[in-house]
Amino acid sequence: MANESSVMARVAAWVESRVTYSGSPPEDEARFQVHAAEQTLRAFRRFLPAVVAGMAICWPTDLWVFEGHPEAMWAFGVMRAIAIGESLWVIWGGGAFERRYGARALVGAVAALVSLYLMVTAYCMGVSGGLDSPFFHAIYGMAGFTVIFMVPIRERLVLAFGSAVGMVATYVGLFPQYANTRDVVPSVLLVFWTNMFFVVVGHLLYHVSRTSYFHERQLVEARARADALLRNILPAPIAAQLEARPG
């Protein structure tokens, strides 16, 4: 029993230090969350121009890919238009939103836009065919968008699995004939496990970012304490020279 208690205590300590961070002071955590939100927005603003370019370049190919299938061509056109519109808003219009409501609010808005795009994508997959359609398998990788978000584990789980549930519900709800095929259960399980993979990868990146942030803060605070000590024990001119030296 003692060994089991020791193991459970170590597991709980590991989870607290690397997953939940429940022991972190609230004010420090709040400052990091703002930093993480700004980091997320910088990543999106670097990534989204490629999305716009890719969607615009690929759009004309729909005339060939969906020749004779006007409904699929229209659906994919709507999907591309939404992706381009959302991306341009984040790149150029999101700044005003961020200044008014803050970086974390803009990250929440971006998450909502990504979720909308994923549900529209699920509709497009349904229009293009059933579970044996090559387009359907793109659903498995769509949750990769969530890796970009630097958010705590609870928010990450809600974002990843909320998006997955929205996509599956859209696909099955609008195209119930596909829910009766034998491949639906394996497909849903694959969606679940790919989402778990992206959750783990996203949280690892978040943990690295968080560790780096607090390490840099400790270095800055240590330097400030050292400078204050120098000012107290050395003549002012000498302390100023030492503070000016790099490193």
Side-chain angles (χ1 to χ4, degrees), residues 31-117:
R31 280 193 290 266
F32 172 70
Q33 291 307 321
V34 173
H35 169 80
E38 293 169 348
Q39 191 177 31
T40 298
L41 295 175
R42 284 194 298 270
F44 267 104
R45 285 166 177 150
R46 294 190 189 104
F47 168 70
L48 290 178
V51 172
V52 172
M55 288 291 179
I57 291 171
C58 293
W59 203 331
T61 65
D62 292 349
L63 297 172
W64 169 68
V65 174
F66 300 113
E67 184 179 4
H69 300 280
E71 185 179 359
M73 188 182 303
W74 177 87
F76 273 79
V78 170
M79 179 197 73
R80 297 186 194 283
I82 289 175
I84 291 173
E86 290 181 350
S87 299
L88 293 177
W89 181 80
V90 174
I91 295 169
W92 286 306
F97 186 96
E98 182 181 1
R99 287 189 294 272
R100 182 170 183 179
Y101 299 106
R104 296 206 69 194
L106 181 55
V107 169
V110 172
L113 293 175
V114 168
S115 298
L116 171 63
Y117 169 74

Side-chain angles (χ1 to χ4, degrees), residues 131-147:
L131 299 178
D132 57 345
S133 166
F135 295 101
F136 173 80
H137 301 292
I139 285 181
Y140 303 132
M142 286 297 173
F145 280 110
T146 63
V147 171

Side-chain angles (χ1 to χ4, degrees), residues 163-186:
S163 299
V165 169
M167 291 181 71
V168 172
T170 300
Y171 185 83
V172 174
L174 296 178
F175 305 95
Q177 65 271 25
Y178 300 144
N180 298 322
T181 63
R182 65 179 182 179
D183 295 328
V184 67
V185 173

